[in-house]
Amino acid sequence: QVQLVESGGGLVQAGGSLRLSCVASGSIFIISGMGWYRQAPGKQRELVAQITFGGSTNYKDSVKGRFTISRDNAKNTVYLQMNSLLPEDTAVYYCNADIKATMFTGRNYWGQGTQVTVSS
C-alpha cells in the first residue's frame, strides 16, 4: 500500500506564490516519475509538470518560467513551486507518481488533491 499526501494549497492574490508538497509513504522500492496535474471546474484534468527520478522535467507551456517542479528522492517528496500565479491557475492540484514496490512491480498512484485559488 502506498499513499500520497499533499499540502500547501490555499488562497492567494494574482502575482503571489504557493509551494505544494507531496509525500509518498508505504511500501516503496523506488519512485520513477512524479508529477502534478490540475483540474479546473468544468475542465479536463491536465498535466502541469512532471519530473523523472534523474531530475528531467517537463512543463505545460502556460506555466513555463513560473512554476518549478523538484523532488527529494531521500524523502520520497515532490514539490511544485508556483510563482506569478494567475486566476487561470485556479484548480484542484493532484500529485501523481509511478511507484515500484519491488524491482519488478509498479503501479500509478494519485493524491487526494489540494485546492489552489488565485483571486484577481
Side-chain angles (χ1 to χ4, degrees):
Q1 58 178 338
V2 172
Q3 184 176 17
L4 303 180
V5 179
E6 301 157 335
S7 62
L11 173 64
V12 298
Q13 293 184 343
S17 298
L18 285 173
R19 182 176 175 84
L20 306 183
S21 299
C22 173
V23 181
S25 62
S27 182
I28 300 172
F29 171 63
I30 192 171
I31 304 175
S32 52
M34 301 189 80
W36 291 94
Y37 291 71
R38 69 187 183 189
Q39 188 166 23
K43 301 294 181 62
Q44 188 175 11
R45 188 174 299 186
E46 63 181 2
L47 175 68
V48 178
Q50 60 187 175
I51 185 169
T52 67
F53 179 84
S56 297
T57 59
N58 184 50
Y59 297 91
K60 175 180 172 64
D61 285 344
S62 63
V63 309
K64 289 180 179 177
R66 300 189 297 120
F67 292 8
T68 302
I69 188 170
S70 62
R71 62 189 288 173
D72 186 334
N73 293 329
K75 297 180 178 179
N76 291 330
T77 301
V78 63
Y79 306 94
L80 186 67
Q81 178 66 46
M82 303 185 293
N83 299 324
S84 301
L85 283 162
L86 302 169
E88 49 261 46
D89 294 318
T90 295
V92 177
Y93 283 69
Y94 297 91
C95 179
N96 179 264
D98 290 315
I99 300 175
K100 293 184 179 294
T102 70
M103 182 178 178
F104 304 105
T105 305
R107 60 176 290 181
N108 186 257
Y109 295 88
W110 289 94
Q112 78 286 353
T114 184
Q115 178 70 47
V116 171
T117 302
V118 185
S119 64
S120 60

